[in-house]
Amino acid sequence: LVTELRDMFKRLDTDESGMICYEELVNMCEEDRVVLSDLLAFHDPAHMFEALDVNEDGAIEIDEFCNGVWEVVVSKAPIEVKRMEKQIEVIASRIKDIHDRQAGFF
């Protein structure tokens, strides 16, 4: 599955930037749309993009794409749950960074 996801990412990344933007995901071919819909239980590309863009930077990198889809498939948890888990990890990391910087002032 990982190889297929990487191949799909390359097909979706039409500008070869190493990232998928919203427009690229929305304009995916029907075959890729069906596969992603089945894997993620989403039919709307906008929702797929929102769910996979964990760091909310407006682009999906290859690892973000593959890991996001893989984790949903393996865990059987809805992608929204996996997205929240990733967001919590990002928040915790940012809080730790702030704490570490502030600790240097005391």
Side-chain angles (χ1 to χ4, degrees):
L1 179 62
V2 174
T3 302
E4 288 133 0
L5 290 174
R6 288 187 173 278
D7 290 343
M8 182 185 293
F9 181 91
K10 290 175 187 172
R11 285 192 303 275
L12 296 174
D13 182 19
T14 56
D15 65 359
E16 299 180 357
S17 65
M19 295 190 241
I20 299 171
C21 67
Y22 177 80
E23 290 78 21
E24 289 171 319
L25 191 69
V26 169
N27 294 318
M28 74 179 109
C29 71
E30 186 61 27
E31 182 180 336
D32 287 340
R33 183 184 315 268
V34 169
V35 171
L36 275 183
S37 292
D38 289 344
L39 291 172
L40 300 177
F42 277 110
H43 300 290
D44 180 6
H47 289 122
M48 287 181 201
F49 187 86
E50 183 180 303
L52 291 169
D53 184 21
V54 175
N55 62 4
E56 300 179 345
D57 65 354
I60 303 169
E61 298 174 2
I62 191 164
D63 290 336
E64 199 173 16
F65 177 79
C66 294
N67 291 341
V69 175
W70 177 257
E71 287 180 15
V72 169
V73 170
V74 171
S75 72
K76 303 294 185 199
I79 195 164
E80 294 93 343
V81 172
K82 302 311 289 178
R83 178 181 166 88
M84 285 187 292
E85 288 174 358
K86 290 291 185 188
Q87 288 174 329
I88 289 168
E89 289 174 13
V90 168
I91 291 168
S93 175
R94 290 180 182 164
I95 290 171
K96 183 184 179 312
D97 290 346
I98 291 169
H99 180 267
D100 292 348
R101 280 183 287 185
Q102 288 179 344
F105 291 113
F106 299 105

